Amino acid sequence: MDIPYVVWAILAGGGSRNYKMIAKKDLENVPILSTALRSGGHVLLDKTSPKSQLRAYMQCVKWLKKGVNVIIFPEGKLSQTGRLGPSQNFKAGAFQMAKSVGAPIVPVTVCHSHQIQPPNYVFPMQPSRRIPVTVHIGTPIPSTDPTKSAMDLAKEAWSAIAEQLPESQKPLTETPFLIDKGLYK
């Protein structure tokens, strides 16, 4: 679960408290987290509902136009292995939102969180004092270039995230798009 780490990195780094995030609807079943998400005005997205997706998109565009930072996890789900999946798994809607209002995209890499929150772990988190979770805030990617599509922006963000990951979490060598970017030779 990367949400606590991303929020901590933003606040600890002196970042803005002016943010909203999109989280999957399943998180409304997590008692404390669901209350925090709802009271903060964040969006719980039902990925199976086109109506929910459109509502989330429109709300985020509205926030971006007002200067509110929007946190989106474009991969859409936790990795089962801890490795970054293919760039095609990044949802283009997040990048289309930024493009539609000219907002920069800031790639954020969270390393080792899968060791604290394994996919099949019963409790929300394992004891984690010895696990070195790190968060890298990347260089903003401008979204105003008319020659770049939302998927081009997604690939650029994906590459920036992949470059910051430790070897154990980098995408597998057969993952498409890696050879072109020089991440694997």
mmCIF file of all heavy atoms in Angstrom, residues 125-150:
data_model
loop_
_atom_site.group_PDB
_atom_site.id
_atom_site.type_symbol
_atom_site.label_atom_id
_atom_site.label_comp_id
_atom_site.label_asym_id
_atom_site.label_seq_id
_atom_site.Cartn_x
_atom_site.Cartn_y
_atom_site.Cartn_z
ATOM 1 N N MET A 125 -0.338 -4.084 7.483
ATOM 2 C CA MET A 125 1.103 -3.971 7.260
ATOM 3 C C MET A 125 1.848 -4.919 8.184
ATOM 4 O O MET A 125 1.414 -5.190 9.288
ATOM 5 C CB MET A 125 1.592 -2.547 7.520
ATOM 6 C CG MET A 125 1.124 -1.551 6.530
ATOM 7 S SD MET A 125 1.894 0.029 6.850
ATOM 8 C CE MET A 125 1.338 0.927 5.453
ATOM 9 N N GLN A 126 2.998 -5.380 7.705
ATOM 10 C CA GLN A 126 3.886 -6.182 8.544
ATOM 11 C C GLN A 126 4.760 -5.246 9.372
ATOM 12 O O GLN A 126 4.962 -4.099 8.987
ATOM 13 C CB GLN A 126 4.820 -7.011 7.671
ATOM 14 C CG GLN A 126 4.152 -8.073 6.855
ATOM 15 C CD GLN A 126 5.194 -8.958 6.228
ATOM 16 O OE1 GLN A 126 5.592 -9.936 6.812
ATOM 17 N NE2 GLN A 126 5.639 -8.607 5.038
ATOM 18 N N PRO A 127 5.348 -5.741 10.458
ATOM 19 C CA PRO A 127 6.351 -4.932 11.150
ATOM 20 C C PRO A 127 7.454 -4.590 10.153
ATOM 21 O O PRO A 127 7.879 -5.433 9.378
ATOM 22 C CB PRO A 127 6.853 -5.873 12.253
ATOM 23 C CG PRO A 127 5.747 -6.858 12.441
ATOM 24 C CD PRO A 127 5.087 -7.013 11.109
ATOM 25 N N SER A 128 7.922 -3.360 10.161
ATOM 26 C CA SER A 128 8.766 -2.922 9.045
ATOM 27 C C SER A 128 10.011 -2.134 9.437
ATOM 28 O O SER A 128 10.550 -1.422 8.617
ATOM 29 C CB SER A 128 7.921 -2.077 8.113
ATOM 30 O OG SER A 128 7.382 -0.976 8.815
ATOM 31 N N ARG A 129 10.471 -2.247 10.632
ATOM 32 C CA ARG A 129 11.614 -1.423 11.040
ATOM 33 C C ARG A 129 12.874 -1.696 10.233
ATOM 34 O O ARG A 129 13.699 -0.829 10.084
ATOM 35 C CB ARG A 129 11.868 -1.607 12.525
ATOM 36 C CG ARG A 129 10.759 -0.990 13.339
ATOM 37 C CD ARG A 129 11.198 -0.790 14.762
ATOM 38 N NE ARG A 129 10.194 -0.003 15.434
ATOM 39 C CZ ARG A 129 9.516 -0.402 16.474
ATOM 40 N NH1 ARG A 129 9.757 -1.579 17.011
ATOM 41 N NH2 ARG A 129 8.619 0.371 17.027
ATOM 42 N N ARG A 130 13.034 -2.908 9.739
ATOM 43 C CA ARG A 130 14.260 -3.254 9.014
ATOM 44 C C ARG A 130 14.104 -3.170 7.497
ATOM 45 O O ARG A 130 15.006 -3.533 6.765
ATOM 46 C CB ARG A 130 14.721 -4.646 9.427
ATOM 47 C CG ARG A 130 15.204 -4.672 10.860
ATOM 48 C CD ARG A 130 15.801 -6.022 11.203
ATOM 49 N NE ARG A 130 16.322 -6.009 12.556
ATOM 50 C CZ ARG A 130 15.644 -6.375 13.631
ATOM 51 N NH1 ARG A 130 14.402 -6.774 13.509
ATOM 52 N NH2 ARG A 130 16.188 -6.332 14.825
ATOM 53 N N ILE A 131 12.964 -2.760 7.026
ATOM 54 C CA ILE A 131 12.734 -2.668 5.587
ATOM 55 C C ILE A 131 12.938 -1.217 5.153
ATOM 56 O O ILE A 131 12.248 -0.321 5.624
ATOM 57 C CB ILE A 131 11.319 -3.173 5.226
ATOM 58 C CG1 ILE A 131 11.180 -4.644 5.640
ATOM 59 C CG2 ILE A 131 11.062 -3.011 3.736
ATOM 60 C CD1 ILE A 131 9.787 -5.203 5.519
ATOM 61 N N PRO A 132 13.878 -0.995 4.252
ATOM 62 C CA PRO A 132 14.229 0.383 3.869
ATOM 63 C C PRO A 132 13.321 0.973 2.792
ATOM 64 O O PRO A 132 13.711 1.083 1.638
ATOM 65 C CB PRO A 132 15.659 0.226 3.339
ATOM 66 C CG PRO A 132 15.645 -1.152 2.720
ATOM 67 C CD PRO A 132 14.727 -1.979 3.595
ATOM 68 N N VAL A 133 12.102 1.320 3.138
ATOM 69 C CA VAL A 133 11.198 1.931 2.158
ATOM 70 C C VAL A 133 11.720 3.333 1.835
ATOM 71 O O VAL A 133 12.039 4.112 2.732
ATOM 72 C CB VAL A 133 9.758 2.014 2.701
ATOM 73 C CG1 VAL A 133 8.875 2.792 1.752
ATOM 74 C CG2 VAL A 133 9.202 0.622 2.913
ATOM 75 N N THR A 134 11.830 3.605 0.553
ATOM 76 C CA THR A 134 12.257 4.942 0.115
ATOM 77 C C THR A 134 11.267 5.466 -0.907
ATOM 78 O O THR A 134 10.632 4.697 -1.630
ATOM 79 C CB THR A 134 13.673 4.921 -0.512
ATOM 80 O OG1 THR A 134 13.693 3.965 -1.574
ATOM 81 C CG2 THR A 134 14.728 4.563 0.516
ATOM 82 N N VAL A 135 11.152 6.775 -0.948
ATOM 83 C CA VAL A 135 10.265 7.441 -1.904
ATOM 84 C C VAL A 135 11.109 8.445 -2.683
ATOM 85 O O VAL A 135 11.799 9.268 -2.093
ATOM 86 C CB VAL A 135 9.109 8.170 -1.175
ATOM 87 C CG1 VAL A 135 8.212 8.882 -2.176
ATOM 88 C CG2 VAL A 135 8.302 7.190 -0.335
ATOM 89 N N HIS A 136 11.064 8.341 -4.001
ATOM 90 C CA HIS A 136 11.787 9.271 -4.874
ATOM 91 C C HIS A 136 10.762 10.152 -5.592
ATOM 92 O O HIS A 136 9.881 9.645 -6.272
ATOM 93 C CB HIS A 136 12.609 8.519 -5.925
ATOM 94 C CG HIS A 136 13.634 7.617 -5.356
ATOM 95 N ND1 HIS A 136 14.867 8.058 -4.938
ATOM 96 C CD2 HIS A 136 13.613 6.285 -5.111
ATOM 97 C CE1 HIS A 136 15.563 7.033 -4.463
ATOM 98 N NE2 HIS A 136 14.824 5.954 -4.556
ATOM 99 N N ILE A 137 10.898 11.445 -5.415
ATOM 100 C CA ILE A 137 10.049 12.400 -6.139
ATOM 101 C C ILE A 137 10.832 12.801 -7.383
ATOM 102 O O ILE A 137 11.913 13.370 -7.279
ATOM 103 C CB ILE A 137 9.736 13.652 -5.283
ATOM 104 C CG1 ILE A 137 9.217 13.272 -3.898
ATOM 105 C CG2 ILE A 137 8.800 14.591 -6.031
ATOM 106 C CD1 ILE A 137 7.850 12.696 -3.845
ATOM 107 N N GLY A 138 10.289 12.490 -8.544
ATOM 108 C CA GLY A 138 10.994 12.732 -9.800
ATOM 109 C C GLY A 138 10.863 14.153 -10.312
ATOM 110 O O GLY A 138 10.153 14.991 -9.752
ATOM 111 N N THR A 139 11.548 14.397 -11.399
ATOM 112 C CA THR A 139 11.497 15.693 -12.081
ATOM 113 C C THR A 139 10.153 15.817 -12.803
ATOM 114 O O THR A 139 9.734 14.878 -13.490
ATOM 115 C CB THR A 139 12.642 15.784 -13.114
ATOM 116 O OG1 THR A 139 13.873 15.571 -12.431
ATOM 117 C CG2 THR A 139 12.655 17.130 -13.814
ATOM 118 N N PRO A 140 9.468 16.951 -12.649
ATOM 119 C CA PRO A 140 8.179 17.120 -13.342
ATOM 120 C C PRO A 140 8.308 16.965 -14.855
ATOM 121 O O PRO A 140 9.284 17.417 -15.459
ATOM 122 C CB PRO A 140 7.767 18.545 -12.971
ATOM 123 C CG PRO A 140 8.480 18.823 -11.694
ATOM 124 C CD PRO A 140 9.800 18.095 -11.802
ATOM 125 N N ILE A 141 7.327 16.320 -15.434
ATOM 126 C CA ILE A 141 7.262 16.112 -16.877
ATOM 127 C C ILE A 141 6.194 17.056 -17.425
ATOM 128 O O ILE A 141 5.027 16.958 -17.035
ATOM 129 C CB ILE A 141 6.879 14.649 -17.200
ATOM 130 C CG1 ILE A 141 7.923 13.690 -16.626
ATOM 131 C CG2 ILE A 141 6.693 14.459 -18.700
ATOM 132 C CD1 ILE A 141 7.485 12.231 -16.639
ATOM 133 N N PRO A 142 6.587 17.990 -18.300
ATOM 134 C CA PRO A 142 5.575 18.901 -18.864
ATOM 135 C C PRO A 142 4.566 18.126 -19.716
ATOM 136 O O PRO A 142 4.924 17.186 -20.422
ATOM 137 C CB PRO A 142 6.387 19.856 -19.747
ATOM 138 C CG PRO A 142 7.823 19.585 -19.456
ATOM 139 C CD PRO A 142 7.926 18.241 -18.807
ATOM 140 N N SER A 143 3.315 18.535 -19.642
ATOM 141 C CA SER A 143 2.272 17.856 -20.425
ATOM 142 C C SER A 143 1.730 18.746 -21.540
ATOM 143 O O SER A 143 0.695 18.449 -22.118
ATOM 144 C CB SER A 143 1.122 17.437 -19.499
ATOM 145 O OG SER A 143 0.470 18.567 -18.979
ATOM 146 N N THR A 144 2.423 19.826 -21.815
ATOM 147 C CA THR A 144 1.912 20.813 -22.771
ATOM 148 C C THR A 144 2.382 20.603 -24.209
ATOM 149 O O THR A 144 1.917 21.303 -25.104
ATOM 150 C CB THR A 144 2.323 22.228 -22.320
ATOM 151 O OG1 THR A 144 3.738 22.255 -22.114
ATOM 152 C CG2 THR A 144 1.609 22.621 -21.027
ATOM 153 N N ASP A 145 3.272 19.661 -24.455
ATOM 154 C CA ASP A 145 3.776 19.413 -25.809
ATOM 155 C C ASP A 145 2.657 18.793 -26.644
ATOM 156 O O ASP A 145 2.222 17.667 -26.378
ATOM 157 C CB ASP A 145 4.985 18.481 -25.747
ATOM 158 C CG ASP A 145 5.634 18.236 -27.102
ATOM 159 O OD1 ASP A 145 4.990 18.497 -28.140
ATOM 160 O OD2 ASP A 145 6.784 17.764 -27.120
ATOM 161 N N PRO A 146 2.176 19.505 -27.683
ATOM 162 C CA PRO A 146 1.057 18.981 -28.476
ATOM 163 C C PRO A 146 1.408 17.730 -29.281
ATOM 164 O O PRO A 146 0.521 17.013 -29.731
ATOM 165 C CB PRO A 146 0.690 20.146 -29.407
ATOM 166 C CG PRO A 146 1.887 21.015 -29.433
ATOM 167 C CD PRO A 146 2.628 20.805 -28.149
ATOM 168 N N THR A 147 2.711 17.444 -29.459
ATOM 169 C CA THR A 147 3.100 16.265 -30.227
ATOM 170 C C THR A 147 3.098 14.993 -29.372
ATOM 171 O O THR A 147 3.214 13.896 -29.897
ATOM 172 C CB THR A 147 4.501 16.436 -30.845
ATOM 173 O OG1 THR A 147 5.468 16.550 -29.791
ATOM 174 C CG2 THR A 147 4.559 17.677 -31.735
ATOM 175 N N LYS A 148 2.962 15.147 -28.043
ATOM 176 C CA LYS A 148 2.959 13.978 -27.158
ATOM 177 C C LYS A 148 1.534 13.585 -26.787
ATOM 178 O O LYS A 148 0.749 14.419 -26.355
ATOM 179 C CB LYS A 148 3.735 14.276 -25.876
ATOM 180 C CG LYS A 148 5.226 14.332 -26.068
ATOM 181 C CD LYS A 148 5.926 14.472 -24.735
ATOM 182 C CE LYS A 148 7.426 14.539 -24.913
ATOM 183 N NZ LYS A 148 8.102 14.721 -23.629
ATOM 184 N N SER A 149 1.245 12.317 -26.949
ATOM 185 C CA SER A 149 -0.066 11.794 -26.559
ATOM 186 C C SER A 149 -0.058 11.457 -25.072
ATOM 187 O O SER A 149 1.001 11.458 -24.425
ATOM 188 C CB SER A 149 -0.385 10.528 -27.362
ATOM 189 O OG SER A 149 0.476 9.475 -26.944
ATOM 190 N N ALA A 150 -1.218 11.126 -24.554
ATOM 191 C CA ALA A 150 -1.306 10.707 -23.160
ATOM 192 C C ALA A 150 -0.466 9.451 -22.937
ATOM 193 O O ALA A 150 0.204 9.321 -21.907
ATOM 194 C CB ALA A 150 -2.768 10.454 -22.774
#
